[in-house]
Amino acid sequence: MKLFHRALPAAFALLSGSVLMMAQSSPNLIHGGDRITLPGPPEVEKQPVVDSYFGTKITDDYRWLEDAKSTDTREFLDQQIAYTDRYLKQAKVRPEFADSLDGLVHTTSWSTPLQRATKTCTDYFFMKRLSSEEQASIYVRHGFTLAAPSAKAPATKPGAVEMGKDIRLVDPAKLSKDPNTSVSIVDISKDGGFLAYGVRQGGADEQEIHFLNLKTSKAMEDTLPSDRYNSVDFAPDMGGVYYSRFTHKGSLLYFHKFGTRASADTLLFGHEFHSELLTELDLIAAAVTDDGHYLVVEVSRGVPAKRVDIVYRDLRKPGSFFEILVWGFDSRFSANYANGEWYVQTDYMAPKGRILKAMPAIAPEAWPTIVPEGQDVIDGSNIVGGKLFVHRLHDVKSETSVYTLAGKPAGKIEYAGIGSASDLNGRVGDRYGFYSFQSFIQPPTIYRYDTVTGKQEIFAQPKSLFDSSQYELKQVFFKSKDGTQIPMFVAGKKGLKMDGSERLLMTGYGGFNLSETPGWNPLWAAWMQQGGWFALPNLRAGGEYGEAWHQAGMFEKKQNVFDDFYAAAEYLIANKYTSSEHFAISGRSNGGLLMGAAMTQRPDLWGAVWCGYPLLDMLRYQKFEMGRLWTTEYGTAENKKDFAYISKYSPYQNVKAGTKYPAIMFFTGDSDTRVDPLHARKMTPLMQAASTSGRPVLLHYSLKGGHSAGVSAAQLIDDYADQLTFLWTETGQTQAKKP
């Protein structure tokens, strides 16, 4: 069993009166692609605020837009939304993209199942969204498959378990009339009798936690209020749940006893441990081992964590103290517990990762090595069926090796070509594990893997309208500015021209030790259906080649990430996949920062830029929402040394008036509680005023959407259609091709 799975100030006071020039706009026309014309963007008044950073004066003209709730900001948003709508209504290709996306999004889809053995059978719990539905529901299947019907088979007795049928447990459509209300599986009790699930509104990170008694099919009265939960885990005796929630003063671990008020919950861990204060940067998550013996706590220091500590409590001894498995090492550790032994995946003294057998009260350098560090980075590991499954990335392509718990090789999982496989999902005592496999040209297929025989069979496969046989996916390598070799995936229709005339959409991320592997996305699929190339370079600061690769794009080395991205573009142009005129780029979150750098540092390379949920004012990002947690990746301008390099690339401070910027769409929404939408709000008028290219600069602002998943399928289709319509229209003057 894998114990943990990662993913994880006051606004400027406004002056009284309106600061927007209502019903006025610049007389200069804006010319979009495909003969779209717009008046100049709405005029936005500047209210300069001057900050001093270690003797350097920095002027912020749009500080007032940091206040999302002010009347003036809402007035600004109304005008920008109307301006963007005026553009989209003229775009001829939008209906084609909407139709294409409707067929790609509205397909039946599943999540990888979680299994629980009961007295009568094995139950499989998973998320499933039917092709006609807006949101996924929570289901259970009793038994793996539906038995073939037989004329001699006796009728099912009343109250008996119906084998092989998918039974809906929680339907979000019955919880709210809002189609942007979503649910998710949070935990399932060890006996499969109780379900904990989250309820999320729109794209916000916060969710409520509800509980369902599966034996009675009745909802429990207990509810955990809407919050950011790092973990929720049932107690072995089902007397309550252990849960960890984030606060800006530090994460806290509680025990909630069923039948009591949440305000009476017992604090178990937080504030301080081992004579060390725990702060906002120290994220706490907890899990109960499969045998119910231990409550295991991981403390992750920052995002990404530069250090992970692990402690545990013996639940068989009421009132026992937390004991240390590992504490105080500037490395990451992740625990597996099996058969009374601790197995730890770590980058301690091994930047590409290794697996050690941990021994409490003994220093990690003395722990026996089970799987040594190799040439390829270890991306994940889990123990299922008494075997150790180690997931590696070989030049960013998934490979999974099987070992005994003594570290002896015991086979491999074979995958179907270039793509991304998930970790094998299962517990120590489960014979079967589950994983998904996908790529840019292959929707996710979920497989069941037999840990005894190695046999694989399909659990769920979508019936997609995307014909993978018509497309190709390849990997190329190029050199960045400093000579570092960078891999890149390129996909498109077979036979697509390479004479510089085709459109190409490139995305990227480059940060937080996250590996960008070939994954399915209806957005990219619709672009390729329309006839464009798609590319994804694996930029430094990701996790594709281990911690050294990550560190090569952090802090003062962040410019390496941007240079990698520009080198990728230059390679694609030189090899005639496309040209600058037909070059579209897209990125969100940390990838939105990448887009901000790309538009301000190399505006000559792109025809159009989509900048989603972005970080753009890097001098102030740490003051809002979850920004303080990311100082372990970027640093903070509150420190003189960090200010020196952050100020050089921060997009908001590096917009230059009189520059011919490409067409740009900023994209965010009110429900983003992770990256504050203020970044896009402030950058939009700054870029609109600075650009002299005559190209559109738009703000696409959702009143419901946010950073996290959770919006309805219809909303997703609308958002994707707007994004692709803009990028396609602004990267060519010809009529769009039919899918």
Side-chain angles (χ1 to χ4, degrees):
M1 169 193 173
K2 185 72 170 179
L3 293 176
F4 300 94
H5 297 275
R6 304 198 193 275
L8 66 113
F12 179 71
L14 294 176
L15 299 177
S16 60
S18 174
V19 295
L20 294 175
M21 303 295 290
M22 294 297 296
Q24 293 186 29
S25 58
S26 168
N28 297 321
L29 285 178
I30 299 298
H31 296 280
D34 205 13
R35 298 181 294 280
I36 291 177
T37 58
L38 293 171
E43 293 185 13
V44 184
E45 184 176 324
K46 298 178 180 180
Q47 288 194 5
V49 176
V50 179
D51 297 311
S52 178
Y53 291 87
F54 312 102
T56 299
K57 303 293 185 181
I58 303 289
T59 300
D60 185 350
D61 287 329
Y62 301 104
R63 182 73 57 83
W64 62 272
L65 283 169
E66 290 181 356
D67 185 351
K69 296 181 180 180
S70 77
T71 301
D72 292 320
T73 297
R74 305 319 292 185
E75 194 173 292
F76 161 83
L77 289 174
D78 288 344
Q79 292 196 20
Q80 293 290 341
I81 291 170
Y83 188 65
T84 299
D85 286 345
R86 187 169 182 173
Y87 173 95
L88 291 170
K89 287 177 181 178
Q90 297 181 62
K92 300 182 181 68
V93 75
R94 193 184 186 283
E96 293 182 38
F97 273 123
D99 287 346
S100 178
L101 286 161
D102 184 73
L104 292 168
V105 172
H106 277 127
T107 60
T108 301
S109 58
W110 297 259
S111 69
T112 304
L114 303 172
Q115 53 191 321
R116 295 290 185 267
T118 67
K119 294 180 179 180
T120 57
C121 64
T122 298
D123 288 344
Y124 300 89
F125 297 85
F126 49 91
M127 303 296 301
K128 179 180 176 181
R129 180 175 60 80
L130 302 178
S131 60
S132 60
E133 294 178 329
E134 294 301 303
Q135 293 284 358
S137 295
I138 300 174
Y139 283 82
V140 65
R141 181 186 300 178
H142 302 298
F144 181 62
T145 56
L146 181 63
S150 170
K152 298 180 180 180
T156 303
K157 296 180 181 180
V161 173
E162 190 170 359
M163 301 297 291
K165 182 180 179 181
D166 292 353
I167 301 170
R168 197 190 306 250
L169 298 175
V170 182
D171 183 354
K174 294 184 177 180
L175 302 179
S176 171
K177 293 181 179 180
D178 184 353
N180 291 303
T181 298
S182 62
V183 297
S184 61
I185 298 172
V186 173
D187 192 29
I188 303 161
S189 64
K190 308 308 178 187
D191 65 354
F194 294 85
L195 167 71
Y197 64 94
V199 180
R200 188 191 308 274
Q201 305 299 329
D205 284 353
E206 295 80 3
Q207 59 180 335
E208 289 183 348
I209 306 298
H210 297 256
F211 303 96
L212 180 64
N213 185 331
L214 300 177
K215 299 173 183 177
T216 63
S217 299
K218 293 183 178 180
M220 299 173 64
E221 293 183 359
D222 300 79
T223 300
L224 299 181
S226 180
D227 214 329
R228 282 186 170 94
Y229 292 95
N230 299 333
S231 63
V232 178
D233 224 50
F234 284 112
D237 63 0
M238 289 308 302
V241 290
Y242 302 99
Y243 69 89
S244 173
R245 62 181 180 86
F246 171 85
T247 79
H248 285 289
K249 294 183 179 180
S251 296
L252 300 172
L253 173 64
Y254 291 90
F255 176 72
H256 171 75
K257 183 179 180 180
F258 287 138
T260 65
R261 293 178 291 109
S263 60
D265 292 349
T266 303
L267 177 64
L268 300 179
F269 191 91
H271 296 309
E272 182 179 359
F273 184 79
H274 203 54
S275 301
E276 186 175 349
L277 292 177
L278 302 177
T279 70
E280 178 185 12
L281 299 182
D282 304 319
L283 303 181
I284 297 171
V288 177
T289 56
D290 284 350
D291 58 12
H293 289 178
Y294 298 106
L295 176 66
V296 185
V297 177
E298 283 192 357
V299 184
S300 301
R301 310 306 182 102
V303 180
K306 61 180 180 179
R307 163 186 162 191
V308 178
D309 300 310
I310 304 174
V311 300
Y312 61 96
R313 168 183 278 184
D314 193 335
L315 297 177
R316 297 165 297 179
K317 301 176 182 178
S320 62
F321 295 103
F322 282 99
E323 300 179 59
I324 292 174
L325 185 65
V326 61
W327 189 276
F329 293 86
D330 284 334
S331 297
R332 290 177 279 268
F333 298 83
S334 180
N336 277 292
Y337 179 81
N339 305 327
E341 304 285 356
W342 298 96
Y343 298 86
V344 172
Q345 177 184 325
T346 182
D347 59 5
Y348 178 64
M349 301 177 66
K352 293 188 177 180
R354 56 179 174 159
I355 311 292
L356 306 177
K357 188 174 182 180
M359 297 180 179
I362 297 177
E365 53 263 30
W367 293 349
T369 298
I370 302 300
V371 179
E373 182 181 24
Q375 292 297 315
D376 297 324
V377 64
I378 294 179
D379 193 50
S381 60
N382 199 10
I383 297 175
V384 184
K387 294 180 179 179
L388 176 61
F389 292 81
V390 178
H391 185 221
R392 294 184 177 89
L393 294 180
H394 177 68
D395 284 331
V396 206
K397 301 180 289 292
S398 291
E399 293 185 353
T400 298
S401 301
V402 188
Y403 299 87
T404 68
L405 295 185
K408 295 182 179 180
K412 292 184 177 181
I413 298 181
E414 299 296 334
Y415 299 124
I418 296 176
S420 303
S422 66
D423 285 348
L424 191 69
N425 189 357
R427 300 187 298 172
V428 174
D430 295 334
R431 173 173 176 171
Y432 298 96
F434 291 83
Y435 72 89
S436 67
F437 185 83
Q438 59 185 301
S439 76
F440 297 127
I441 61 173
Q442 179 181 334
T445 298
I446 299 172
Y447 295 87
R448 183 172 80 158
Y449 178 87
D450 189 333
T451 64
V452 175
T453 66
K455 179 183 176 182
Q456 302 185 58
E457 51 190 325
I458 292 175
F459 173 81
Q461 186 174 34
K463 296 180 180 179
S464 176
L465 297 179
F466 188 87
D467 184 358
S468 299
S469 66
Q470 295 185 25
Y471 298 82
E472 61 179 340
L473 169 61
K474 56 186 174 181
Q475 187 180 43
V476 298
F477 293 85
F478 62 91
K479 288 187 177 181
S480 190
K481 181 179 180 180
D482 64 358
T484 301
Q485 182 169 268
I486 310 292
M488 176 165 56
F489 294 103
V490 182
K493 281 186 177 180
K494 293 178 179 178
L496 203 57
K497 290 185 295 184
M498 293 182 63
D499 61 1
S501 65
E502 301 287 8
R503 293 174 172 88
L504 184 144
L505 172 57
M506 184 170 74
T507 188
Y509 190 79
F512 293 89
N513 200 34
L514 295 176
S515 301
E516 291 291 288
T517 56
W520 172 257
N521 190 327
L523 185 72
W524 315 141
W527 177 271
M528 288 186 282
Q529 278 187 332
Q530 201 74 3
W533 288 104
F534 173 76
L536 173 69
N538 296 104
L539 314 173
R540 279 174 285 184
E544 290 88 347
Y545 291 101
E547 182 57 20
W549 189 259
H550 173 217
Q551 292 182 7
M554 295 172 63
F555 299 127
E556 74 280 1
K557 298 179 181 178
K558 187 65 179 177
Q559 187 62 42
N560 284 339
V561 180
F562 309 142
D563 290 341
D564 292 351
F565 196 69
Y566 311 150
E570 289 164 346
Y571 171 91
L572 292 166
I573 292 171
N575 285 276
K576 298 190 179 301
Y577 285 92
T578 191
S579 58
S580 294
E581 177 188 0
H582 304 300
F583 210 128
I585 56 173
S586 171
R588 54 181 290 159
S589 193
N590 174 70
L593 168 60
L594 175 65
M595 296 302 105
M599 69 177 72
T600 53
Q601 294 184 7
R602 291 298 307 272
D604 57 301
L605 277 178
W606 330 109
V609 181
W610 184 90
C611 184
Y613 307 99
L615 285 162
L616 296 168
D617 185 349
M618 295 302 291
L619 298 186
R620 291 175 59 78
Y621 81 94
Q622 72 280 357
K623 298 178 180 291
F624 305 95
E625 296 293 353
M626 307 300 287
R628 185 67 61 180
L629 275 67
W630 309 324
T631 57
T632 56
E633 177 84 4
Y634 302 125
T636 169
E638 294 163 3
N639 297 332
K640 184 175 182 179
K641 177 177 67 70
D642 298 352
F643 169 76
Y645 63 80
I646 291 175
S647 60
K648 290 180 181 179
Y649 74 75
S650 179
Y652 186 66
Q653 283 76 30
N654 282 282
V655 175
K656 295 180 176 60
T659 301
K660 293 183 178 180
Y661 288 108
I664 301 167
M665 176 180 280
F666 297 104
F667 196 106
T668 188
D670 273 341
S671 291
D672 191 344
T673 56
R674 193 178 311 176
V675 175
D676 199 304
L678 68 86
H679 292 272
R681 291 198 300 264
K682 290 169 60 177
M683 189 74 162
T684 298
L686 181 64
M687 186 61 78
Q688 287 174 338
S691 181
T692 56
S693 65
R695 307 290 301 284
V697 176
L698 308 174
L699 175 60
H700 190 294
Y701 199 93
S702 170
L703 301 181
K704 290 187 177 181
H707 212 93
S708 295
V711 297
S712 66
Q715 182 67 55
L716 192 68
I717 290 168
D718 281 345
D719 289 346
Y720 281 178
D722 290 347
Q723 177 178 347
L724 292 178
T725 295
F726 174 78
L727 293 173
W728 189 271
T729 301
E730 295 305 319
T731 51
Q733 298 299 319
T734 59
Q735 293 291 329
K737 302 173 184 178
K738 299 289 184 181

